[in-house]
Amino acid sequence: MPAPFLLDRSLASVWHPCTQMKEHEQFPLVPIVRGEGPWLIDADGRRLLDGISSWWVNLFGHCNPRINAALREQLDTLEHAMLAGFTHEPVVELSERLAALTGHRLGHAFYASDGASATEIALKMAAHYWRNLGRADKTGFVSLAGSYHGETVGALAVTDVAIFRDAYAPLVRAGHTVPCPDARSASEGESATDVARRAAAALEAHLEQHHATTAALIVEPLVQGASGMVMYDPEYLRLARALCDRYEVLLVADEIAVGCGRTGTFFACEQAGIWPDLLCLSKGISGGYLPLSLVLSTDTLYQAFYADTASRAFLHSHSYTGNPLACRAALATLDIFAEDDVLKTNRARSALLGRLLDERFGAHARARHLRRRGMIAAFDVPYTQPDFPRRFFAAGMEHGVLLRPIGNTVYFMPPYVVDADQLTQLADGALAALEKA
Ligand SMILES: *Cc1c(COP(=O)(O)O)cnc(C)c1O
């Protein structure tokens, strides 16, 4: 099917996500026909370097031979079985291996498909936990300014991104937001750690007043993705953990974007030396292959649901919970982490990306706040037009790189298979795009 027809058919029949469809009257969709390592290949044979891991999900490249092989084998063995009353090897092995990765601090895994569902589960579990303990008043949630935890109606309660929330505000039982420890907000002479302490003091003031009605604090550890790769000091997580303990509030770590090695450690929380009570994973956990999300919980939390009565149980389910194919993709992904010492090779990749960006944008008149944590890097472009993201994207595409700024923030989140040449192309493409956008 020639590409133009595919585009017309797509516009006629597919309602594309996060898109004002009318804008596609002027800006064509990009028909992707094949994936290969860090490349997406379009219908004209054009190769695009996937600088954002296809919306942050891809870890080891497209059509990774090892994940493909694992999936083929699983496909001929068991494609799906319900998980209520039944179990299977892939879900058990995945749960055991994830528990081991947390040092068995988070020993129970509850499964869903998308990130937002994991947020829903964590929020429901947190409130239900307190209810089971006889403290049914603890139903409130606290999140950071600029937080993003998904876009379903429940998750919007803790998502502080106006464009996603405003139209649905009447449907949402909004939680409280507390200041974000955004390192960019440091005033003269203040360090990122000082900013973290200042934000933690605000959290403390909030919890002091509201702890009796607060079930949980939910955070994106170290990097707030959707609000523009906002980075903050691990000290905030240490202080937040201590405050949650002191005020009897659960800590939920939404590692949907930052987990699976994105920030340099497998879990971002490791860099603060803390563990949450609930941890959400999705996106990269299946290598970017299949929708899979999960919530890891402590034994303490799990035990509060373990009883003789159904009403104390966590009565929540999704049809595809624990899907064997998705779990198998996740196991193949964890195999690659173990066999290739990925976190170590990523340290070199991240350092190189840092050097390349520093050379081009460190002193660039249109780049501010160049920042990096693990395999995420970003800078801000002051004084842009509202259509800057689209212009930058289009200019990047002309240079064979796929980059989609968030507002005036240009960011890089490449898959963990990019080599030095590809990282250089990404940095050069961004520089060329910035000149044009
Ligand atoms: C993407 C994301 C989600 C939502 O995941 P979906 O699969 O898109 O529903 C939640 N939290 C964070 C931090 C995310 O980046």
Side-chain angles (χ1 to χ4, degrees):
M1 179 69 63
F5 295 114
L6 186 70
L7 302 192
D8 288 343
R9 284 166 57 208
S10 193
L11 292 178
S13 61
V14 182
W15 199 335
H16 291 266
C18 208
T19 298
Q20 171 48 265
M21 292 299 295
K22 191 163 192 291
E23 290 180 4
H24 279 307
E25 288 177 4
Q26 275 149 58
F27 304 98
L29 289 160
V30 183
I32 298 299
V33 293
R34 222 152 50 77
E36 188 185 298
W39 304 98
L40 288 169
I41 296 145
D42 79 4
D44 297 329
R46 189 166 55 152
R47 294 166 72 81
L48 298 166
L49 188 53
D50 189 352
I52 60 165
S53 299
S54 287
W55 255 359
W56 323 350
V57 300
N58 191 285
L59 296 193
F60 298 116
H62 297 279
C63 292
N64 181 290
R66 288 146 86 179
I67 304 176
N68 284 11
L71 276 175
R72 281 198 191 96
E73 198 183 318
Q74 186 62 45
L75 193 58
D76 287 331
T77 312
L78 175 67
E79 87 299 346
H80 185 68
M82 62 192 284
L83 200 60
F86 296 84
T87 194
H88 50 76
E89 181 68 27
V91 79
V92 174
E93 194 184 334
L94 180 58
S95 307
E96 289 172 349
R97 285 174 67 177
L98 289 169
L101 283 171
T102 69
H104 298 280
R105 291 170 185 88
L106 300 164
H108 306 270
F110 193 99
Y111 290 87
S113 309
D114 294 293
S117 312
T119 298
E120 301 277 344
I121 288 163
L123 299 182
K124 284 177 69 179
M125 269 184 183
H128 198 164
Y129 166 78
W130 292 115
R131 181 186 168 86
N132 281 349
L133 262 55
R135 303 177 65 179
D137 287 345
K138 284 170 84 69
T139 59
F141 299 108
V142 185
S143 59
L144 304 186
S147 58
Y148 178 92
H149 298 290
E151 295 164 49
T152 51
V153 172
L156 281 176
V158 288
T159 286
D160 181 37
V161 179
I163 193 163
F164 297 137
R165 196 166 76 178
D166 286 357
Y168 313 105
L171 314 184
V172 175
R173 177 182 170 269
H176 291 277
T177 53
V178 290
C180 168
D182 184 347
R184 293 171 304 181
S185 68
S187 44
E188 193 71 27
E190 228 186 0
S191 68
T193 317
D194 295 331
V195 177
R197 295 202 176 108
R198 185 152 49 80
L203 172 64
E204 178 164 19
H206 177 85
L207 292 182
E208 197 169 16
Q209 222 188 333
H210 299 285
H211 64 93
T213 53
T214 302
L217 165 70
I218 182 167
V219 296
E220 293 162 86
L222 302 183
V223 183
Q224 288 185 315
S227 60
M229 302 303 149
V230 174
M231 300 191 185
Y232 63 87
D233 194 278
E235 177 72 0
Y236 184 78
L237 296 173
R238 280 189 285 276
L239 294 170
R241 175 72 273 183
L243 289 170
C244 285
D245 288 342
R246 171 139 37 103
Y247 287 102
E248 298 187 302
V249 166
L250 296 176
L251 177 61
V252 180
D254 175 351
E255 298 227 7
I256 289 166
V258 297
C260 302
R262 258 316 152 190
T263 65
T265 42
F266 190 83
F267 298 109
C269 282
E270 292 174 67
Q271 289 176 56
I274 61 123
W275 290 97
D277 300 289
L278 292 165
L279 188 149
C280 306
L281 277 186
S282 187
K283 292 202 165 112
I285 186 61
S286 72
Y289 268 65
L290 288 160
L292 177 69
S293 67
L294 57 103
V295 177
L296 298 175
S297 105
T298 59
D299 278 352
T300 308
L301 202 126
Y302 175 81
Q303 288 302 334
F305 291 78
Y306 200 85
D308 293 321
T309 52
S311 64
R312 284 179 73 101
F314 191 58
L315 301 183
H316 180 105
S317 60
H318 296 283
S319 305
Y320 283 100
T321 189
N323 174 260
L325 284 165
C327 290
R328 186 57 73 191
L331 288 167
T333 298
L334 294 184
D335 284 343
I336 296 175
F337 270 103
E339 289 161 16
D340 294 6
D341 208 352
V342 169
L343 297 177
K344 183 162 168 233
T345 48
N346 272 358
R347 279 199 282 280
R349 260 187 206 102
S350 169
L352 175 59
L353 177 62
R355 275 198 301 282
L356 293 167
L357 296 181
D358 209 34
E359 285 161 15
R360 288 159 185 76
F361 302 104
H364 195 290
R366 294 189 67 206
R368 301 265 195 287
H369 297 298
L370 180 59
R371 54 196 182 273
R372 175 171 56 95
R373 190 170 289 272
M375 292 296 287
I376 308 174
F379 61 83
D380 305 329
V381 183
Y383 319 118
T384 58
Q385 302 296 321
D387 63 348
F388 170 77
R390 183 165 37 234
R391 290 159 57 114
F392 187 100
F393 167 76
M397 294 282 275
E398 283 171 26
H399 289 268
V401 301
L402 195 181
L403 292 169
R404 279 173 49 119
I406 300 172
N408 67 343
T409 299
V410 174
Y411 75 92
F412 305 83
M413 211 195 271
Y416 308 163
V417 292
V418 282
D419 62 22
D421 285 347
Q422 292 155 355
L423 282 174
T424 307
Q425 184 182 344
L426 208 53
D428 284 341
L431 185 60
L434 186 60
E435 303 300 334
K436 286 190 195 164

